[in-house]
Amino acid sequence: MTVKSIIISRPDDWHVHFRDGDILKTVVPFTSKFFGRAVVMPNLTQPVINNRIAKLYRKRIIDAVNSEHQFSPLMVFQLTDNIILHELVCGFENGLLTACKLYPINKVANPYYGVTDIKKIYNVLSVIEDLGIPLLVHGEIYEKYVDVFDYESEFIKYVMIPLRLQFPKLKIVFEHITTKEAARYVLDSDEFVAATITPQHLMFNRNKMFIGGIKPHFYCLPLLKSIVHQKALLDAIKTGCDRFFLGTDTAPHLKIYKESSCGCAGVFSSPIALALYATVFEKFDMLKYFEAFCSFNGPKFYNLPVNKNFIMLTKKENIVCDSIFCCNDKLIPFLAGEKLSWSASVIK
Ligand code: DOR
Ligand code: ZN
C-alpha cells in the first residue's frame, strides 16, 4: 500500500545555524513554521559563550519568529579554553542554556574561539557531566596527517573514546554523523550517547557532489561520504534505536560565499527539511521510524516533553524554490529547483 499522508507530533530540529542580522530574520521562519524547538548553534562571529550573549541572541531569534508560529529556540554555549564555569552553571539552572558545543578548533565557520586541548576543560566537563548538560560534539579531528574523509572515524579513536573513559556519564550528542564507524559507535554505546543525522547524509553520498561538475551546495562538514557509509546511516535508523534523531544542520551562507573558488561549508536545508526526511524515509522503507526520529527520540534524550500539535506530510509534488533574496544576494536552498514528492503542512 502506498502511503499518501502522515501525521506526526510537531518535530524538533536538534541542530540548526540561524546566523544573525538579516540572514537570521530570513531563515528563522523556515524552521519555526514546522518545528517546536531547535537547538541553535553558537558559532557566530561573536560566539555564544556567556549568558548575556545567549539572552540577547535568543531575543533576536524570537523577534524573527512569525507570530503564528509556536517555537522555542534552545540555546547552546560554545566551549572555549576559557569558558567561565559559573556562567554555564547559572545559564543551565536558569533554564537559558540547553547544551554546550565542542567544535574542533580553527576549522568551523568562526575559528577564533574553541578548545585547543580537551584536557584544558576537564574541570568543566566534570561539572556538565554532574549536571546532566548535553555535550554536543562536532566529531571531526582536523589534523594535517588525516585524510578529509577520515576526520570523523579518527575523532572516535583519538577524542571520543578517551573522553568517554574519563566521563562515562557525560551526555553526548555525536552531531551529524556520517560514517559507519560513528553509527556503530553510537549503537554500541549506552543511554549517554546519541546522534543527529542530516537529510543530506541519508539521501546522498559523495558521488553526488563530484559527478558532472563540482556542486558547492552539497559541500558541508562533515563531508558526504561513500555509499557504504550512507548505507550504514540508513541501517542505523532501521535498527529502531531511539538514540538517533533529527538534526538538519541547516547552515545558510550567501550565494557569493558558496559559489566561490574557496566556498563555505554548509547546506541550507530548512525550507524543505521535513520533505527531505520524508522522501528518504519512504525511499528506504523506514517510514515506521519516521515519527520517533523526528518527534520522540530527541525530547527523550534531552529530557523534554514531546511537542503538542501536529504536522502533516503529504505525498504531493513540491518544487524547491530556486533562491531566497537576502542581504542584496541570495540564499540557495538545498536541491533548489528540484522536484520532491513530499510536502509538509501545519495542522491548525
Ligand atoms: O557544513 C558546516 N557548516 N559544518 C559545520 O560544522 C559548520 C557549519 C556552518 O556554520 O556553516
Ligand atoms: Zn552545524
Side-chain angles (χ1 to χ4, degrees), residues 71-145:
F71 177 75
S72 305
L74 302 177
M75 306 312 289
V76 177
F77 278 11
Q78 182 158 325
L79 293 180
T80 71
D81 287 350
N82 307 314
I83 191 86
I84 300 167
L85 192 52
H86 87 263
E87 282 281 332
L88 218 147
V89 174
C90 289
F92 186 67
E93 285 175 349
N94 297 335
L96 175 65
L97 178 71
T98 294
C100 295
K101 175 87 190 207
L102 181 67
Y103 275 115
I105 191 144
N106 265 342
K107 296 291 178 200
V108 287
N110 296 297
Y112 303 108
Y113 298 81
V115 175
T116 52
D117 175 356
I118 195 147
K119 293 207 174 76
K120 289 191 181 165
I121 58 157
Y122 267 11
N123 64 324
V124 174
L125 296 177
S126 165
V127 173
I128 72 173
E129 178 184 41
D130 289 346
L131 291 175
I133 306 178
L135 178 71
L136 315 183
V137 174
H138 182 121
E140 293 195 292
I141 188 163
Y142 294 128
E143 293 288 350
K144 280 202 182 98
Y145 58 84

Side-chain angles (χ1 to χ4, degrees), residues 17 19 43 108-109 138 220-221 251 253 265-266:
H17 296 266
R19 315 302 189 202
N43 62 329
V108 287
H138 182 121
C220 59
L221 290 171
H253 292 279

Side-chain angles (χ1 to χ4, degrees), residues 101-314:
K101 175 87 190 207
L102 181 67
Y103 275 115
I105 191 144
N106 265 342
K107 296 291 178 200
V108 287
N110 296 297
Y112 303 108
Y113 298 81
V115 175
T116 52
D117 175 356
I118 195 147
K119 293 207 174 76
K120 289 191 181 165
I121 58 157
Y122 267 11
N123 64 324
V124 174
L125 296 177
S126 165
V127 173
I128 72 173
E129 178 184 41
D130 289 346
L131 291 175
I133 306 178
L135 178 71
L136 315 183
V137 174
H138 182 121
E140 293 195 292
I141 188 163
Y142 294 128
E143 293 288 350
K144 280 202 182 98
Y145 58 84
V146 179
D147 186 85
V148 287
F149 291 105
D150 298 333
Y151 284 164
E152 188 175 278
S153 51
E154 293 293 292
F155 176 88
I156 297 172
K157 280 191 245 162
Y158 292 110
V159 183
M160 192 68 119
I161 292 175
L163 176 67
R164 294 209 54 243
L165 281 173
Q166 189 73 29
F167 302 104
K169 296 207 155 59
L170 184 59
K171 277 180 100 160
I172 295 180
V173 183
F174 197 157
E175 297 283 17
H176 41 55
I177 60 165
T178 61
T179 56
K180 65 179 173 25
E181 289 83 2
R184 183 79 273 154
Y185 184 79
V186 175
L187 282 168
D188 289 346
S189 300
D190 54 23
E191 74 269 27
F192 292 102
V193 179
T196 53
I197 311 184
T198 76
Q200 65 269 22
H201 292 104
L202 290 172
M203 287 180 101
F204 300 109
N205 55 67
R206 62 195 181 196
N207 284 10
K208 188 77 185 175
M209 187 163 59
F210 296 122
I211 291 179
I214 192 150
K215 315 262 182 353
H217 297 290
F218 287 80
Y219 172 54
C220 59
L221 290 171
L223 293 166
L224 293 177
K225 303 294 192 302
S226 72
I227 192 167
V228 172
H229 296 286
Q230 180 195 0
K231 195 169 169 309
L233 302 182
L234 295 163
D235 287 344
I237 290 178
K238 286 186 197 167
T239 64
C241 173
D242 62 4
R243 287 177 289 108
F244 295 104
F245 43 84
L246 187 158
T248 59
D249 197 12
T250 178
H253 292 279
L254 292 174
K255 183 171 184 272
I256 40 164
Y257 300 120
K258 287 293 295 173
E259 299 178 9
S260 149
S261 59
C262 184
C264 292
V267 160
F268 174 42
S269 60
S270 59
I272 41 142
L274 284 175
L276 294 173
Y277 281 115
T279 303
V280 72
F281 271 66
E282 183 194 36
K283 179 169 178 191
F284 294 101
D285 203 14
M286 316 192 292
L287 281 177
K288 72 172 169 178
Y289 302 114
F290 185 64
E291 185 176 26
F293 180 84
C294 297
S295 314
F296 300 155
N297 298 348
K300 185 171 174 197
F301 190 79
Y302 277 83
N303 280 330
L304 290 169
V306 171
N307 292 312
K308 300 201 171 73
N309 304 321
F310 295 88
I311 294 292
M312 179 145 82
L313 278 304
T314 312

